[in-house]
Amino acid sequence: MGKSTISGKNRTGIDMSPIDAKEMMALVRVSPPSSAGNEQAIAERRSQYFAEAGVIGSVPPPGTLKGIASTAMEKLTGKNPEAFIDKLGCRLAFERAGVRLYDALIAKCSAAPANSIVPLDRLQDFRNEELEHFKLVENAMRSIGADPTAQTPSADVDGMASIGLVQVLTDPRTSVAHCLEAILIAELADNDAWQLLIALTEKMGMSDMARDFQNALREEDEHLAYIRQWFRQMVMEDAAVAS
Ligand SMILES: [Fe+2]
Ligand SMILES: [Fe+2]
């Protein structure tokens, strides 16, 4: 495995040119900010926007009530199914994004010279499991009359939060270790979100659905453990110390 971290002509630090650094610090002392205001003004403006803004999205009402088991309807009565559907839609989108993240990681690892730490067949298994989880949530949504093709507000926000992860995975310059760190962030968030979804599903009275989700969480536990281990191993190896 090639080293992830190499020394080179990095000019971002102040120590690159001590003379210029002195001059720069002197300039800071004599130059006033180019515009008036401070972080308080930024906070006030944000509060103003917040008060004026609408919501980021909405959950569509169930498209059809036909075919929904009456027992499911009974269980949801008196609760807020939209909040449940929002989180289901979020998990659905995340699992679909997970497939794409693993596809990118597989491509990265396949192209990496002498990648001896991450077995490709294991990555392929994880990728396929993310797809299975996507289908699982899709079916769960359909079973309560929700439209799995609609983007829910939480799915929208999660997608926005994950943009950086996709960028890390698809940047041709990033190393396998960089990509494992990005996947680790995704798997940590995913694991936590499954736990919350299972708790919510149980509270909604959907015990069969919660059981299916538990099986998915067991696979997610395995993803997290392996990714964490590979990342750790790679960081230690890069630092030339034993893991
Ligand atoms: Fe996942
Ligand atoms: Fe996963």
Side-chain angles (χ1 to χ4, degrees):
M1 186 105 236
K3 275 204 290 181
S4 228
T5 318
I6 52 160
S7 56
K9 280 187 183 162
N10 181 335
R11 297 181 193 279
T12 58
I14 205 162
D15 285 349
M16 277 302 288
S17 177
I19 300 169
D20 291 326
K22 228 185 251 174
E23 222 172 284
M24 192 174 81
M25 296 307 284
L27 195 67
V28 168
R29 278 191 287 275
V30 296
S31 316
S34 57
S35 56
N38 54 21
E39 63 273 20
Q40 182 60 33
I42 296 172
E44 279 164 18
R45 184 53 62 93
R46 283 188 182 140
S47 303
Q48 197 184 329
Y49 287 155
F50 183 51
E52 289 167 3
V55 291
I56 205 156
S58 60
V59 175
T64 168
L65 295 178
K66 229 171 56 186
I68 305 170
S70 56
T71 46
M73 283 313 291
E74 257 169 49
K75 283 171 186 164
L76 292 171
T77 306
K79 296 168 185 144
N80 181 7
E82 280 80 7
F84 184 41
I85 290 167
D86 181 37
K87 286 297 168 209
L88 286 169
C90 182
R91 215 63 262 112
L92 176 101
F94 203 97
E95 296 305 302
R96 184 181 49 216
V99 174
R100 291 172 184 155
L101 288 179
Y102 272 104
D103 277 338
L105 182 62
I106 290 166
K108 178 72 72 173
C109 290
S110 308
N115 164 30
S116 58
I117 292 179
V118 189
L120 289 177
D121 53 346
R122 184 69 65 129
L123 284 186
Q124 194 64 44
D125 290 345
F126 291 177
R127 182 245 182 234
N128 294 342
E129 282 166 2
E130 301 294 356
L131 183 60
E132 286 306 315
H133 299 168
F134 164 78
K135 290 181 193 160
L136 174 68
V137 182
E138 181 192 2
N139 289 334
M141 290 184 82
R142 288 197 197 283
S143 75
I144 56 167
D147 178 1
T149 67
Q151 174 164 265
T152 69
S154 286
D156 193 359
V157 170
D158 243 31
M160 186 65 77
S162 307
I163 283 176
L165 302 180
V166 178
Q167 287 178 338
V168 170
L169 262 301
T170 55
D171 189 320
R173 301 162 304 171
T174 53
S175 66
V176 171
H178 295 145
C179 294
L180 282 176
E181 185 166 14
I183 290 269
L184 179 58
I185 294 169
E187 287 291 8
L188 282 165
D190 200 17
N191 202 283
D192 223 64
W194 272 110
Q195 291 182 41
L196 178 60
L197 183 62
I198 290 165
L200 181 61
T201 307
E202 278 164 357
K203 294 275 183 199
M204 298 304 282
M206 306 279 174
S207 46
D208 288 351
M209 196 188 283
R211 239 190 327 272
D212 290 342
F213 289 172
Q214 282 284 4
N215 291 334
L217 177 60
R218 266 191 287 278
E219 290 173 344
E220 295 294 1
D221 283 340
E222 201 187 15
H223 299 181
L224 180 56
Y226 273 97
I227 295 291
R228 187 184 267 144
Q229 171 58 25
W230 293 330
F231 178 55
R232 181 189 167 88
Q233 209 177 327
M234 224 166 258
V235 168
M236 298 297 175
E237 202 169 275
D238 194 31
V241 295
S243 56

